Amino acid sequence: MFGSAQWIWCPGLSGVNLYADFFTSFSVSGAGDPLLLHISAEHQYAAFVNGTFAALGQYTDLPQSKVYQTHDISPAAAPGENQLWVRVYYQGTDSLTWQAGRAGLLFAIEEGGAVVCASGAQTLCAPAPAYDSLGVARLTTQLGFSFTYHQQREWPAPVPHSALCCAVPAPRTGSLKPRAIPHLILRAPAAAAVQSQGVFFSGPPGRTPGDACQYAALAYREREALFCRAGRPALPDARGLSFEAAEGDGVYLLLDLGEPLCGLLTLELDLPAGTRVDVAFGEHLEDLRVRSGIDGRSFCAVYYAVAGRRSFTHWFKRLGARYLQLYIHARRGTVHYAGLRPVEYPVDPRPQLACGDRLHTAVFNAAKATLHNCMHEHFEDCPWREQALYAMDSRLQMLCAYYAFGEYRLARESIRLLGRSLRPDGLLELCSPGKDRVTIPSFTLAWPCQLADYVLFSGDVAFGEEMLPTALRIAQAALGRVAASGLVPAYTQPGCWNFYEWSPGLDGGEIHRTAPFPARFDAPLSAFLILALQSISRLCGWLGKPDAAAGLDAEADRLGAALEAFWNESSGCYAAYLSPGGSRAHYAQLTQALILCSGACPAPRRSGLAHRLLQGEGLLPLTLSSCFFRYEALLAEDGLAPAVFDEIARRWGGMLLNGARTFWETERGAEDFHRAGSLCHGWSAIPIYFYFAYGLGIRPTQPGFSAYVVAPAHIGVSFPSGSVLTPGGLLSIP
């Protein structure tokens, strides 16, 4: 379908944070056949036909295995000669969401089965004039760069050919495959209410835009003193919200989108030529403004206006925010719109759950909103700060998405993307398709678990067969480190972060170590390895490999027996850490929960340990990131289910009572992680899983729900009905 298309790039354009424009013409017969644009880019693209936006959305792939998208661009084309303009953004450096790769663009336009236009030496190109490449602050290390856009430097229409040159080949090796998940849906601009307004006074120069907004002096002004009409303003506004101030360096507007969203920044402004507009975005208002400068992070974009009313959308990076704050460096002007165009992964609305408790219903609905807001090109931890795919986080999100949306495609491709990041040492990259000098070994061990979960829920045994070699390489690398005693040592080399969860002592300490980690044995790591081996064993069983399954089970049993070295009889619980000299240290709920979930706790003490875990006395509590393991351990014991659901009501309901619309990274909310706590975080959607699997009580026992149980837990809350979208169709209970 690409015909003679070549990977191309703009000659002489190299470096990082680059924007390049590509132009070509094509002829449409007018026979009525669909006009299809097949396209792939490194890293992101937006395509325009005859000046009209037509397509965007590069899948977040790996440089060695590129993905192409197919878009129907017929609505933007007309019979006869047409113009295609593709703007490509190339990050050019590694982050947790992209690997650098080689800059390039590949496209072909197909009509009636014939290629009518393709990328090649005849394609004209130039650096995009409106975007700055140098001196642009990073949003975060995960998200890469922010942007600075100059509307007055944008191309005139028509684009002068004298400013363009011919593209050069940018050949690359590796695979090229079609997009395997649906295209994201670009919604209409979200409504934004003006919550506050006034004038600002800029601080000293030299700061990042985020810090400049964070520390500007704000002076509140009444609406009637600033705007040219009365009433509470809201955007979009067809007449325009005109403002005029007699003082300050400009006017600020604080906008509320009503709920956390993830989308494309869109502006429609009428300002004096050259006016600078700083757009701060985020989830926090604790500083009486949008918190935009946090420990070197700069949650701010910069836009320079041209005279008159103009519209602008930044097509190349989704922003996650509930609030936007405009710092308009002018004393007069008009705002017609400022906000986000939401970008959403399409989900199936058919799975439903009815709960007889209003608080649990509210928790369920907020958890679904949280989960959906963390689903785009892959599962992502949060839409605001990172948008990154982690194995541990995404495993929990997938379990929720199977129930909430019957969503299997995004899970499959997220698992595939993570699996392709396997390093020679048997560890996954910290995130995929990103690249970083640090990884988390325990997260690598979550990957076989999410693979087995996926096969169980989806019935996609063929994918399990495809991914089994990767799972076995992970297991072999981990088992190769196990001591003769069966104890699993911590990873001592720099670059390995021994993180288990955000509780003190389990957070792995310094992330970017340069010195070796002290030698010790870690019970949580042993338990995660046991869970991984058990998952691979189940997978082998479904694939008809009983001998392999038996061998993995034997290894898991050996590791489980060795965990007795962590048992402290006088304390009645397991220590997390064991020194080479035999001393035990650190007693936490997570350690007990993982050992119970792994089955390594001897039967005579299981019930007692579960009740100890429930009471939590003398044990370091868990944060939201690991409650899944605590609840799974407790729900395996008779009579403890009411306490689990009471705790969900207390902890998740507590966030709702504190104003949450989506669920937070931790219960400390915005103040955690040096004032950068996410207020929409994927792992906090886990109540969905427990409502379906234990409240409604439906759980698959064989791949694809070919066999399942319906066994509601006795929790004191009724779940009178529900439905789950299985591979075989909608399964309704009762």
Side-chain angles (χ1 to χ4, degrees), residues 205-291:
R207 291 173 165 170
T208 66
D211 283 345
C213 294
Q214 183 72 27
Y215 298 106
L218 306 184
Y220 170 79
R221 294 292 179 265
E222 297 288 348
R223 292 194 294 265
E224 293 77 10
L226 195 63
F227 303 131
C228 298
R229 67 175 192 266
R232 185 177 181 182
L235 303 174
D237 189 315
R239 293 180 296 167
L241 179 62
S242 296
F243 62 87
E244 186 169 350
E247 58 185 323
D249 294 327
V251 168
Y252 77 84
L253 302 179
L254 175 59
L255 307 175
D256 183 1
L257 300 173
E259 59 183 329
L261 298 174
C262 190
L264 306 179
L265 176 65
T266 298
L267 305 173
E268 187 173 355
L269 309 173
D270 188 344
L271 298 170
T275 299
R276 172 173 172 154
V277 182
D278 296 321
V279 184
F281 67 93
E283 299 175 328
H284 309 145
L285 291 183
E286 282 76 2
D287 305 334
L288 303 182
R289 69 183 75 208
V290 173
R291 184 175 289 171

Side-chain angles (χ1 to χ4, degrees), residues 121-179:
Q122 77 286 354
T123 306
L124 298 177
C125 65
Y131 280 97
D132 287 348
S133 291
L134 301 177
V136 178
R138 283 180 177 264
L139 293 167
T140 65
T141 57
Q142 295 87 355
L143 285 173
F145 297 96
S146 183
F147 66 88
T148 298
Y149 178 84
H150 302 259
Q151 186 90 57
Q152 68 270 35
R153 294 193 332 216
E154 192 55 273
W155 293 110
V159 177
H161 276 226
S162 60
L164 308 176
C165 63
C166 292
V168 295
R172 59 196 306 140
T173 58
S175 63
L176 179 66
K177 295 183 178 180
R179 184 183 180 95

Side-chain angles (χ1 to χ4, degrees), residues 56-57 179 181-187 318 343-346 375-378 410:
L56 85 163
R179 184 183 180 95
I181 62 172
H183 287 282
L184 303 182
I185 300 171
L186 180 61
R187 299 293 188 188
R318 298 186 306 276
V343 177
E344 298 177 359
Y345 183 84
M375 297 166 63
H376 289 97
E377 301 292 357
H378 48 64
L410 192 67

